[in-house]
Amino acid sequence: MSIRVMGIDPGLTRCGLSIAEGGRGRAVTPIAVGVARTPADAELPDRLLRLSNAAEEWMDRYEPDVVAIERIFERGNVSTVMNTAHAVGVLMLAAARRGLPVHMYTPSEVKKALTGNGRADKAQMTTMVTRILGLSEPPKPADAADALALAICHCWRAPLLARAKEALR
Amino acid sequence: MSIRVMGIDPGLTRCGLSIAEGGRGRAVTPIAVGVARTPADAELPDRLLRLSNAAEEWMDRYEPDVVAIERIFERGNVSTVMNTAHAVGVLMLAAARRGLPVHMYTPSEVKKALTGNGRADKAQMTTMVTRILGLSEPPKPADAADALALAICHCWRAPLLARAKEALR
């Protein structure tokens, strides 16, 4: 049985979007990858509407079973963190509207899942994403690799989560 | 000419909602006030969906011209701030979907506008809200007074903002 995951690297200026399918074992098939951008000079509510529309369009076109979103850390610029938190709000809402479960992963959880090292750098991550998906070259756009990594992370976690849920019953 | 303002005191556990109408001078008429609550034990995306539905229902029922939302400060518990930021995201999205302009005010801007003192306490604010709206007793529910204060603040600012916009042309 396969699972189709939408991986989202949230952001308001650029938001990485991906769709990947997990099956038996560690095999993961990439379906789509891209970046939704919103203009920095537009009003905040308008930017959130554009992002929401982009995410909803992907959900309607690719019909994922589940959504994996990167968990925000309060590092860096405060207004960037706030904008990202607003973005995560509308992304979770888009999922909830379709009854899609949402799973959150920290950057280090994703890095650890893919490379065994929670502090892997960008180059290592891109190499692993390329290898796991059996691509002949790194995925493009380059800044969407994180969204694919999130989808891969959830594809690998899903069987464990399903077994844990089963055990709890 | 009158303006109908929806004032929102954002939050995920409780979100204050109000509708008030400003006219000539300082007169402000209260139309509605209430609190949308979401259960703390529900999943985050589901809570955002409930909040979004409540806000959209108010917007459809009362047809405000504009939305005034309290600006978040990074005080207090980090996960509460994040949840509030997610909530603000879906609230701004609901406004953007209807083409409603959104204005943000800090708590001290609202306090200053209503009492002349940016550090006014809750009791002073409730007294002023009650007086300005010509109510015989403080608005209920008590925790919705902030949402009314936001709407009043914007009713008073709107003519200034309109003149400033005109001057810029």
Side-chain angles (χ1 to χ4, degrees):
Chain A
M1 224 190 78
S2 72
I3 183 170
R4 183 174 277 212
V5 181
M6 180 167 177
I8 305 181
D9 179 22
L12 196 55
T13 302
R14 49 159 298 285
C15 180
L17 301 171
S18 77
I19 303 283
E21 229 169 63
R24 285 171 191 278
R26 303 235 119 187
V28 180
T29 309
I31 309 289
V33 62
V35 174
R37 292 171 202 280
T38 73
D41 59 351
E43 300 268 359
L44 187 50
D46 180 48
R47 297 179 75 184
L48 291 167
L49 179 58
R50 288 166 188 244
L51 174 63
S52 174
N53 287 344
E56 299 215 4
E57 199 184 293
W58 274 61
M59 289 174 184
D60 292 340
R61 188 188 308 166
Y62 296 109
E63 300 184 331
D65 301 309
V66 55
V67 177
I69 306 181
E70 190 175 293
R71 194 180 288 280
I72 310 169
F73 274 116
E74 289 86 322
R75 49 172 155 72
N77 183 285
V78 165
S79 84
T80 304
V81 171
M82 278 294 150
N83 281 352
T84 305
H86 296 329
V88 169
V90 309
L91 294 164
M92 286 193 285
L93 176 66
R97 281 213 162 110
R98 287 157 182 77
L100 301 177
V102 174
H103 292 265
M104 311 287 282
Y105 296 101
T106 64
S108 65
E109 283 176 312
V110 178
K111 287 173 180 178
K112 184 133 200 230
L114 268 71
T115 71
N117 172 11
R119 302 174 144 220
D121 64 20
K122 207 154 191 68
Q124 285 175 280
M125 287 296 289
T126 301
T127 301
M128 284 307 294
V129 167
T130 308
R131 191 178 299 171
I132 292 161
L133 298 177
L135 304 172
S136 55
E137 52 182 38
K140 283 176 191 165
D143 57 358
D146 286 347
L148 279 169
L150 272 153
I152 294 167
C153 176
H154 187 75
C155 284
W156 289 356
R157 287 283 185 93
L160 302 173
L161 293 170
R163 277 205 293 275
K165 206 169 173 184
E166 195 62 39
L168 280 171
R169 280 187 200 145
Chain B
M1 223 189 81
S2 72
I3 184 172
R4 184 172 277 213
V5 180
M6 179 167 177
I8 305 182
D9 179 21
L12 195 56
T13 301
R14 50 159 296 285
C15 180
L17 301 171
S18 77
I19 303 282
E21 230 168 60
R24 285 171 191 277
R26 304 234 116 189
V28 180
T29 311
I31 309 288
V33 63
V35 174
R37 294 171 201 279
T38 72
D41 59 352
E43 301 267 358
L44 187 49
D46 181 47
R47 297 179 75 185
L48 291 168
L49 179 58
R50 288 164 187 245
L51 174 62
S52 175
N53 288 343
E56 299 217 4
E57 200 185 292
W58 273 62
M59 289 175 186
D60 292 341
R61 189 189 307 167
Y62 296 110
E63 301 185 331
D65 301 308
V66 55
V67 176
I69 306 181
E70 189 174 294
R71 194 181 287 282
I72 311 168
F73 274 116
E74 289 83 322
R75 48 174 156 68
N77 184 285
V78 165
S79 85
T80 303
V81 171
M82 278 294 150
N83 281 352
T84 306
H86 296 329
V88 169
V90 310
L91 294 165
M92 285 193 285
L93 177 66
R97 281 213 163 108
R98 285 157 183 77
L100 301 176
V102 174
H103 292 265
M104 311 286 281
Y105 295 101
T106 63
S108 66
E109 283 177 312
V110 178
K111 287 174 181 177
K112 185 131 199 237
L114 268 70
T115 71
N117 172 11
R119 303 176 142 219
D121 65 19
K122 208 156 191 67
Q124 285 173 279
M125 286 296 288
T126 301
T127 301
M128 284 308 293
V129 167
T130 308
R131 191 178 301 172
I132 292 161
L133 298 178
L135 304 170
S136 55
E137 52 181 37
K140 283 177 189 164
D143 58 358
D146 286 346
L148 279 169
L150 272 153
I152 294 167
C153 176
H154 187 75
C155 284
W156 289 356
R157 287 281 185 95
L160 302 174
L161 293 170
R163 277 205 292 277
K165 207 171 173 181
E166 195 62 38
L168 280 171
R169 281 187 199 144

